Amino acid sequence: MDERMSNKHINIDVLSLNMNFYDKNGGHKSPRTFGDVMKELGDSHTFIALQEFGRMSYSHDLDGEKIEQALAKIGYGTLSPHKDGIFPVNVRLFYKRTDDIQLLNMETISSQYPNRHIGARFLVAGREVLVHSVYLPLSSKDLKGKRTYWQDILAYTTNSNVPLILAGDLNDSYLRKDNTQCIADIRTLNTLLKDNGGDATYKTKRLDHIFSDLPVISSETRPANFISDHRTSRVKYQLI
């Protein structure tokens, strides 16, 4: 590798959002449109991590395949689970296809809920980085399975030998007085990686996170333009 390239700082922009495709209440107060989605996701991110996604939203107001095709047209590659679940509670990871970004190989975090995690090892401007989109179920639904998933996440993070970005909806919050059942796991993860911030992403709770061991340039949490009941998380990192 050229010595000048090895000393160059590379910026990575990551956006993460729970898309709320499994909305069984009949949609949002304001109708979501394809245009709203594309405006929110944009075309300036290195990686886009989506959760609660699928081929079609539960209320049929959004077409997941159409979104994937549109992102492909503006230069994104798509990573998806080998098989989606019956309901639209799946994940996607999109990466910008440029000469500086190369997909090396897929990486698996856990055998639990294979439709709820997707990730890979990338080469970005000559530097390796692991990027994952994850979505954990509610503790009340399957606490045993969720705890196993958490154990696998923590083991994977501990054993990682290159910079790691872990983005997604963890479905546990430490922004409430009655901490949820897996809050200890979030705190443990925060000793291995650093969270992107402390703002609430779902009502008054922080369920969505972007964890990484990379230096943070900037971060923000903002309303998702009415396309989701979650807020959008975005972090810009420096890959050194």
Side-chain angles (χ1 to χ4, degrees):
M1 184 188 302
D2 189 296
E3 183 178 354
R4 290 171 299 176
M5 177 63 77
S6 66
N7 293 327
K8 183 180 178 181
H9 290 176
I10 305 299
N11 295 340
I12 295 179
D13 188 292
V14 182
L15 179 145
S16 185
L17 177 63
N18 178 311
M19 292 288 293
N20 192 27
F21 266 33
Y22 194 39
D23 177 13
K24 296 188 289 185
N25 296 320
H28 298 265
K29 295 179 180 179
S30 299
R32 302 182 293 184
T33 69
F34 169 76
D36 291 335
V37 172
M38 296 309 299
K39 181 179 179 181
E40 181 63 27
L41 299 184
D43 63 356
S44 62
H45 312 293
T46 318
F47 298 100
I48 299 174
L50 300 183
Q51 306 85 42
E52 201 171 320
F53 190 79
R55 297 185 182 279
M56 182 67 67
S57 64
Y58 190 89
S59 57
H60 289 83
D61 59 344
L62 290 176
D63 185 329
E65 289 187 316
K66 185 178 178 181
I67 293 170
E68 290 180 355
Q69 291 166 3
L71 287 171
K73 288 181 179 179
I74 58 175
Y76 285 96
T78 305
L79 298 184
S80 57
H82 176 67
K83 184 179 180 180
D84 280 346
I86 297 174
F87 300 110
V89 291
N90 313 292
V91 295
R92 294 291 188 271
L93 180 64
F94 301 91
Y95 63 98
K96 200 71 171 179
R97 293 193 304 262
T98 71
D99 292 339
D100 285 336
I101 300 176
Q102 179 183 353
L103 173 64
L104 295 179
N105 56 267
M106 305 295 290
E107 294 268 343
T108 300
I109 290 180
S110 176
S111 60
Q112 294 287 316
Y113 319 111
N115 63 309
R116 287 176 176 257
H117 49 88
I118 191 69
R121 186 180 295 257
F122 294 88
L123 197 64
V124 180
R127 299 157 176 83
E128 288 191 19
V129 61
L130 294 166
V131 186
H132 287 270
S133 176
V134 300
Y135 183 34
L136 279 78
L138 293 169
S139 295
S140 58
K141 299 297 183 182
D142 180 14
L143 182 55
K144 182 179 178 181
K146 181 169 181 177
R147 281 177 170 160
T148 300
Y149 190 177
W150 260 116
Q151 291 170 1
D152 292 340
I153 288 175
L154 295 175
Y156 182 88
T157 302
T158 301
N159 294 324
S160 172
N161 58 359
V162 299
L164 170 63
I165 298 171
L166 193 68
D169 181 355
L170 305 184
N171 262 320
D172 272 310
S173 176
Y174 52 70
L175 293 187
R176 49 187 280 183
K177 293 181 180 179
D178 53 332
N179 290 336
T180 44
Q181 296 183 68
C182 295
I183 188 62
D185 296 308
I186 294 182
R187 288 174 173 153
T188 299
L189 182 60
N190 206 25
T191 65
L192 301 171
L193 305 172
K194 294 302 179 184
D195 197 357
N196 63 304
D199 294 334
T201 61
Y202 176 76
K203 297 182 179 179
T204 60
K205 308 172 188 178
R206 181 167 190 80
L207 303 182
D208 310 87
H209 306 258
I210 304 178
F211 282 97
S212 183
D213 48 359
L214 289 168
V216 174
I217 298 173
S218 62
S219 67
E220 66 173 331
T221 303
R222 64 172 186 262
N225 195 29
F226 304 107
I227 67 173
S228 175
D229 55 354
H230 287 243
R231 291 164 65 91
T232 301
S233 299
R234 179 182 180 183
V235 184
K236 183 178 289 186
Y237 295 106
Q238 187 178 80
L239 182 59
I240 56 177

